Structures are given as C-alpha cells and as structure tokens.
Amino acid sequence: MIGGGLAGASCAIKLREEGAEGSVLLVGREPDPPYHRPPLSKAYLRGEDSRDDTLVRPEQWWADNDVEVLTRTSAMKLDPAERTVRLSTKQEVRFGKALLATGANVRRLRVAGGDLDGIHYLRAHGNADSIRSDVEDAERVVMIGGSYIGTEVAASLTALGKSCTILMQEAVTLENSFGAEVGGFFQGVLENHGVEVVGSDELDRFEASDGRVKAVVTKGRRELPCDCAVVGVGVMPDVTLARGCGLELGEGGGIACDSRLETSVPGLFVAGDMAEYESVLHGGNRLRIEHWDVAQKQGETAALNMLGRDVPHDAIPYFFSDLADWSSMEYVGAGSGEPVIRGSLEEGDFTAFYVEGERVTAALTVGRSDDLEHARRFIREGTGIAPDELADEGKDLAALSAG
Ligand SMILES: Cc1cc2nc3c(=O)[nH]c(=O)nc-3n(C[C@H](O)[C@H](O)[C@H](O)COP(=O)(O)OP(=O)(O)OC[C@H]3O[C@@H](n4cnc5c(N)ncnc54)[C@H](O)[C@@H]3O)c2cc1C
C-alpha cells in the first residue's frame, strides 16, 4: 500500500481478513499509523478524543496481523514496468500487486500575509494540535471557507468558547454541496450558536501585528479582526507519484481507473481521495469522491480485486458531518438535482431528496437516518418517483418504489 491513510489501511485490513498470505507493506509519510481524519475537526479538535481514539486499528494490531507499517517514509518513485517502488529510506521494494492511496493535500491560498503566524490549514493530527494550542489564548478566530472544514471547525471552536466568523465566496454555508435551501438550514444552526457568517465575499489579504495575523481583509473591504485563522478551501488529489510514472489522469484531476479500481497497469489499484473510478451506478461515468466512507470501502474493493474476485466498486457514496453536538447530517449518493424536502427545515427534522428529472440522485438527512435506506434503494433502482410523493409525509417511503 502506498499511502498510510484510511484507503491504504482498509485495503491491508481486508487482505488479511480475506486470508491473503503474501507479505503486506504499508508505507506512509506521516508520523502516525493510519488514523481517521473526521475527528480532527470535531471531537479531537475539542480535546474530547485522544490520538489513540482516532487510530484505524490499535498500534499493535498491524504487527499482530503481519502487516508491516513504515511511518515517516515516502514512496519516491514508482516503476510499473519493473514493479518496484523506491522509498525515502533508499530501500527498493518489489511488489506483485500494489495500491496507490496517496490521498489529497490541502489547497493553499496565495495571498498577501498568507504565511503569517496564526494561519492554519487542517489535514493531519499535527495541524489539529497546532490549532488547539494556538486558539488557547485566542478570542476571535476567522474561518476562510464555508464548506465542511470551515463549518465544523467554527462549531468546534465556538463550543470551546471562541468567537468565530466564517468568510466565504458562497452566499450560504455548504451551498455548493447541498444548495442554498439546505445550506441555509446549517447556517441557521451556526448563527443560532453565535457564529458570524460573512457570505458573498472573498479573502483579499491577511493583516499582521508583530508577524502574527491580526485581521482578515476581504475583497468587499471588510476587516475581520482575529487572533487566529483556519483556512478550509478544499483539497487537491495527490497524484505526484502517478504523474511521475505516466499513469492516466482523469478529468477530475485524480488517477483514472476502471470500475474494479484497477489502473491501466494490471495489478496496480487506486483507492480514496485521488481515485477517479468508473461508477457502474452512474452509467460508467468517472467519479472522484473525497469522503471517509468511500476511502474505506474503496480500499476494501481494491483488496478483493487484488485477490482476483473481479468485483466492481458499486457502493453508494456515504458522507456525514457534525456541527459540534448541535446538529448532525448524513448524506448518500452523488450528483446534483433539485432538493425535495420531506419534513421540516424549521424543526431540524427533514430529509432532502435530490431529484434530477424524477430520478433520486442523492439524499441528505437530519434526524431521519432511516430514510437513507429508502434513498439508497431509489438511487440504485434509478427510475422515476414523483417529487410530490417524496415530499408527502402521508406516503410511506417503503411503499414508494422506483422499480
Ligand atoms: C479535518 C477533516 C475532517 C473530515 N471529516 C469528514 C467527515 O466528517 N466525513 C467524511 O465523509 N469525510 C471527512 N473527511 C474526509 C476523509 O477524511 C477523507 O476522504 C479520507 O481521509 C481520505 O482517505 P485517503 O486514504 O484517500 O487519503 P488520506 O487520508 O489523505 O491518506 C493518504 C496518505 O498517504 C500519504 N502519502 C501521500 N503520498 C505519499 C507518498 N508518496 N509516500 C508515502 N505516503 C504518502 C499522505 O501523507 C497521507 O497520510 C475529513 C477530512 C479532514 C481532513
């Protein structure tokens, strides 16, 4: 496994669970063995979860299950023809099958003042630790970006007693993913807990005092004073190794692979944030999805295919997000479409079904996890359901069949 994140880890775990007998090596450049990232903006950031709580498996599990884990080690060069990987330790490793699971890196902003002290990005344990210790003496924190990272971090830091502001290009938080109506619900939750939201504006520069950030200045000429800033403006798939050895890249910037997650090189698989796979659920269109559950399930699919099982990756993508303990949401599917609301946004008890034509492509729920099973069925079956039937609470979802 090249990459010690969740996708690499779950591939190694699945290989052992399925009785694979060969040697399994997992190479990751971070100091920690594989861990879950979602807590980094949630319970770990708030100091409620420990580092050990975030681990994919207890440290001893890897040795007990004969998986060699090399931390602080980078794969420097991949040679698909020779089937070798050169490591930063100068070791050259020969492989029969390999998984590329190098994940993604945060998108960095190039603006005046962008390298001042007190400006943070969030991807790894170390970033969360720095934010936590830096906000200890801070009163005001500005988040740049109104998507998952910005909203979750704003909620967590508000719960820690900080005064938080979100600055974003969108009019409404999470609008790009879920539309203005549903995004507006989450913005309402944030505002009701004291988070200030500044939308339809953009970062121009950071201002300093003694080398440390003291304000965020927007293109709309607002000045947002802060002691600390956290930037969450998306990630870029890490395709450095793949590009270096000429693997085909997809239109979404990831590494192209088939529905079994195999690249153009036989025996070389990809999984996780940089995998751009042919989705059998979406008519063979290529998808690249940056979700925790997708990384885990793709790692497992890759393992099965390494063992010759010949299975497509046909899991319906699943995503979750929490705003402190104020609100949680779950989402299944992928795609756009108009939201059809079942339940009440005002009461925070609803499911939004995203519908294109009459096809359900995705669903987001707050407080109605049971609806997700129905949504999964609608997405898989793929034929029409009238939007007014989805919205009608008098209609039993179990009785609504797309088939
Ligand atoms: C703060 C935060 C909160 C999140 N919250 C949620 C959430 O609530 N819900 C959700 O669904 N998703 C969430 N996600 C997204 C989810 O965590 C990711 O989709 C998932 O971690 C992707 O796993 P991965 O294994 O593909 O990549 P990564 O986790 O990025 O792992 C790839 C690893 O490979 C290493 N690597 C890269 N190149 C090399 C190399 N050449 N040699 C060796 N190692 C290398 C990297 O350093 C990294 O450790 C969150 C992400 C973050 C950062």
Side-chain angles (χ1 to χ4, degrees):
M1 317 301 127
I2 303 171
L6 180 60
S10 61
C11 182
I13 293 167
K14 191 74 176 170
L15 283 172
R16 284 299 181 235
E17 282 174 358
E18 294 291 318
E21 284 178 353
S23 65
V24 178
L25 170 68
L26 185 141
V27 181
R29 66 180 167 208
E30 292 192 53
D32 296 293
Y35 60 93
H36 296 294
R37 296 189 196 278
L40 303 187
S41 49
K42 310 178 184 73
Y44 183 79
L45 185 62
R46 296 192 295 273
E48 295 159 14
D49 275 3
S50 70
R51 187 171 285 242
D52 281 358
D53 291 331
T54 67
L55 296 180
V56 175
R57 286 289 184 275
E59 275 199 82
Q60 188 55 35
W61 187 93
W62 303 101
D64 289 349
N65 288 274
D66 198 18
V67 174
E68 187 181 356
V69 175
L70 295 180
T71 53
R72 299 179 194 271
T73 307
S74 293
M76 308 298 286
K77 188 169 178 236
L78 172 65
D79 187 331
E82 294 294 321
R83 301 187 93 71
T84 55
V85 183
R86 202 174 66 236
L87 306 182
S88 50
T89 54
K90 306 272 186 278
Q91 228 180 322
E92 190 155 89
V93 180
R94 194 162 285 284
F95 64 86
K97 307 262 167 62
L99 178 78
L100 254 179
T102 46
N105 298 312
V106 293
R107 200 163 76 74
R108 294 193 171 261
L109 294 175
R110 310 222 177 282
V111 295
D115 53 3
L116 290 169
D117 284 350
I119 298 173
H120 299 269
Y121 291 80
L122 178 55
R123 185 77 190 167
H125 270 144
N127 304 131
D129 295 341
S130 314
I131 295 172
R132 189 71 213 282
S133 78
D134 212 20
V135 297
E136 226 143 76
D137 299 323
E139 272 177 37
R140 288 161 306 187
V141 186
V142 173
M143 261 52 61
I144 313 294
S147 193
Y148 316 112
I149 299 290
T151 54
E152 290 187 352
V153 172
S156 287
L157 298 185
T158 302
L160 289 178
K162 309 300 161 189
S163 171
C164 293
T165 301
I166 294 175
L167 168 68
M168 62 191 182
Q169 292 173 321
E170 310 88 291
V172 172
T173 56
L174 298 162
E175 181 181 355
N176 291 346
S177 305
F178 308 126
E181 190 180 9
V182 175
F185 164 77
F186 295 108
Q187 180 161 325
V189 171
L190 289 159
E191 288 174 334
N192 286 339
H193 287 86
V195 177
E196 181 190 13
V197 181
V198 177
S200 306
D201 203 347
E202 204 174 315
L203 174 69
D204 183 59
R205 63 184 188 278
F206 294 102
E207 298 264 305
S209 162
D210 291 334
R212 191 179 167 85
V213 66
K214 68 157 193 180
V216 166
V217 180
T218 75
K219 294 227 160 109
R221 295 169 191 240
R222 288 185 177 92
E223 187 167 313
L224 308 171
C226 64
D227 310 302
C228 203
V230 181
V231 183
V233 293
V235 294
M236 311 280 284
D238 187 335
V239 295
T240 321
L241 271 185
R243 191 175 272 138
C245 66
L247 284 181
E248 186 197 341
L249 300 185
E251 283 175 13
I255 302 172
C257 61
D258 64 16
S259 62
R260 297 157 51 260
L261 309 182
E262 194 167 27
T263 64
S264 48
V265 176
L268 180 59
F269 294 83
V270 284
D273 282 3
M274 27 57 82
E276 206 163 313
Y277 73 109
E278 281 170 13
S279 171
V280 290
L281 281 173
H282 298 85
N285 288 339
R286 284 227 170 100
L287 292 187
R288 189 177 68 76
I289 298 179
E290 295 152 1
H291 297 172
W292 170 87
D293 182 68
V294 174
Q296 170 149 314
K297 294 216 166 76
Q298 287 187 343
E300 293 171 358
T301 302
L304 293 175
N305 286 320
M306 283 180 177
L307 297 170
R309 305 283 169 80
D310 196 20
V311 286
H313 184 74
D314 65 355
I316 296 176
Y318 168 83
F319 174 80
F320 67 94
S321 177
D322 299 338
L323 299 179
D325 60 1
W326 311 335
S327 172
S328 298
M329 62 100 143
E330 295 175 278
Y331 175 89
V332 291
S336 43
E338 286 302 310
V340 174
I341 308 293
R342 183 179 176 94
S344 163
L345 286 166
E346 292 70 35
E347 288 164 26
D349 177 28
F350 68 92
T351 297
F353 291 96
Y354 291 83
V355 178
E356 251 175 44
E358 288 196 340
R359 281 188 60 166
V360 175
T361 59
L364 177 151
T365 195
V366 174
R368 296 181 170 210
S369 293
D370 288 354
D371 287 0
L372 294 183
E373 266 325 297
H374 302 296
R376 284 192 178 95
R377 182 168 55 86
F378 299 152
I379 293 166
R380 216 172 264 290
E381 289 177 355
T383 42
I385 308 181
D388 54 350
E389 300 214 316
L390 286 170
D392 181 353
E393 297 226 61
K395 293 251 167 24
D396 183 3
L397 287 177
L400 286 186
S401 176

